[in-house]
Amino acid sequence: MPKEQVTRNDVALHAGVSTAVVSYVVNDGPRKVAPETRDRVLAAIRALGYRPNESARALRMGTSRTFGLITPDGGNPLFAELAKAIDREAAARGYVVLQTSADGDPQTENAKIAELLARQVSGLVLVAPTDAPRLDKVEVPVIAVNRRLRAVSSVRPAYHEGARLAVEHLISHGHRRIGLVIGGAGHPERELGWREALALAGLPEGPIARATFSRDGGYRAGQTLLRHEPTAIFASSDLQAIGVLRALHEEGVDVPGDVAVVAFDGTPETEYTWPPLTVVRQPVEALAREAVRRLIEGEQSVEALTVPTELIRRRSCGC
């Protein structure tokens, strides 16, 4: 019968230590081990013929050169584009990215974090994470993208300023009753930008429809807003805006003749809606570049870096 492979558990049992101590000895860190304990672990490794795997050897040299990437929804065009940008940026610097999705669920997110750490990634990128990722015992760099997290380095677009810019553009077209399609609690900045633009122009707040960040959510929100007769709609995501367009078309509402529409995100598919959507474009490449730089260089400043957005004018607003 073939000889069973010796595991780290076997070494730990032989030396009378925990598997974590074996890991610290094999990888020369991240925690110090008493010389006597270290010698005992090394003796057990020699006696059992233990051979660390490739990941452990890479970590002994200082890094596995692998990042773990968790997005809330792999099917969302924005997160797919952002993941590709992060992968390209990491590859250009000699790193590999392991990507998975959490479906916006805290329990799934924490399970995925644990799984990636078990694979010995040298850093974690959390895109739009939930409010409750368990990071207190994580010993590798962590970067949050598109959302702030307490005590974690983060990079994010200028949500508030970008939303204000979009609504100001609609106001410049003469609109005075501008509705808002927005996600639920936890995403306040785009709503604040909408409110601020209206207040600065001396306009009353238009109708609000709260919906999921999805095509279906936007579709249902569009049906709701039509009952309040807005002349323009600001949708807080591309997917919502696409759903809004369908709702408007089904009711025979002309865009932009009857109702103008502007969206936030700026994914490529907004170029191919009808009419093409005016968007506030997220700085995807800049976000990816900064996230990878911070992971590699070990920059763990908890001050969030905010990257400017860009207004791209197309036909849906009347331009």
Side-chain angles (χ1 to χ4, degrees):
M1 294 181 63
K3 184 179 179 180
E4 291 186 4
Q5 183 177 356
V6 177
T7 68
R8 188 170 58 182
N9 288 339
D10 297 326
V11 174
L13 185 63
H14 190 91
V17 298
S18 68
T19 55
V21 171
V22 175
S23 178
Y24 299 152
V25 172
V26 169
N27 300 322
D28 197 23
R31 295 185 179 178
K32 292 182 179 180
V33 177
E36 182 181 344
T37 303
R38 181 182 181 85
D39 291 342
R40 197 162 70 246
V41 171
L42 292 174
I45 288 173
R46 288 192 294 269
L48 297 175
Y50 173 64
R51 294 292 181 268
N53 60 29
E54 290 298 325
S55 295
R57 281 198 287 271
L59 282 172
R60 188 169 63 247
M61 300 302 294
T63 176
S64 68
R65 303 189 75 81
T66 302
F67 295 141
L69 169 63
I70 303 177
T71 64
D73 179 4
N76 185 308
L78 173 66
F79 300 136
E81 185 184 4
L82 186 53
K84 288 178 67 175
I86 291 171
D87 186 60
R88 284 194 303 269
E89 191 67 29
R93 301 185 66 167
Y95 284 73
V96 172
V97 175
L98 299 179
Q99 181 189 348
T100 186
S101 296
D103 298 323
D105 176 62
Q107 189 172 357
T108 301
E109 183 178 59
N110 285 318
K112 294 296 180 71
I113 289 172
E115 183 176 336
L116 288 170
L117 291 174
R119 293 174 183 268
Q120 300 177 311
V121 296
S122 52
L124 285 174
V125 184
L126 306 180
V127 176
T130 67
D131 289 324
R134 296 194 189 109
L135 302 172
D136 52 312
K137 296 182 180 179
V138 175
E139 296 180 343
V140 299
V142 179
I143 302 293
V145 179
N146 281 34
R147 192 165 187 184
R148 284 193 180 109
L149 278 182
R150 186 186 304 174
V152 170
S153 183
S154 64
V155 293
R156 52 196 294 283
Y159 285 119
H160 186 136
E161 294 79 1
R164 186 183 66 227
L165 182 66
V167 178
E168 287 174 346
H169 184 67
L170 289 170
I171 292 170
S172 75
H173 278 279
H175 293 286
R176 297 295 179 266
R177 186 167 176 77
I178 302 172
L180 172 69
V181 178
I182 190 71
H187 304 85
E189 292 179 274
R190 278 163 279 192
E191 181 174 338
L192 290 174
W194 170 77
R195 293 181 187 277
E196 183 175 292
L198 295 174
L200 289 172
L203 297 176
E205 292 179 359
I208 299 178
R210 302 192 186 278
T212 58
F213 286 101
S214 66
R215 298 174 185 89
D216 182 65
Y219 175 68
R220 297 179 186 281
Q223 292 175 318
T224 298
L225 288 182
L226 276 175
R227 296 197 290 268
H228 300 279
E229 300 182 344
T231 64
I233 294 173
F234 170 53
S236 60
S237 76
D238 288 350
L239 292 185
Q240 289 174 327
I242 290 169
V244 166
L245 286 180
R246 177 183 167 182
L248 297 178
H249 289 323
E250 285 184 351
E251 293 298 319
V253 176
D254 180 69
V255 179
D258 298 321
V259 177
V261 179
V262 174
F264 197 106
D265 282 342
T267 54
E269 68 180 84
T270 58
E271 299 178 50
Y272 299 96
T273 58
W274 188 254
L277 278 162
T278 293
V279 294
V280 176
R281 168 75 174 161
Q282 288 211 31
V284 171
E285 298 295 334
L287 293 171
R289 186 166 51 250
E290 181 64 18
V292 171
R293 184 193 70 79
R294 287 190 175 200
L295 283 182
I296 292 175
E297 297 180 7
E299 182 178 330
Q300 288 295 289
S301 168
V302 296
E303 183 176 351
L305 174 67
T306 301
V307 185
T309 55
E310 177 187 6
L311 180 68
I312 299 177
R313 298 168 178 85
R314 301 194 184 110
R315 295 183 63 170
S316 71
C317 67
C319 285

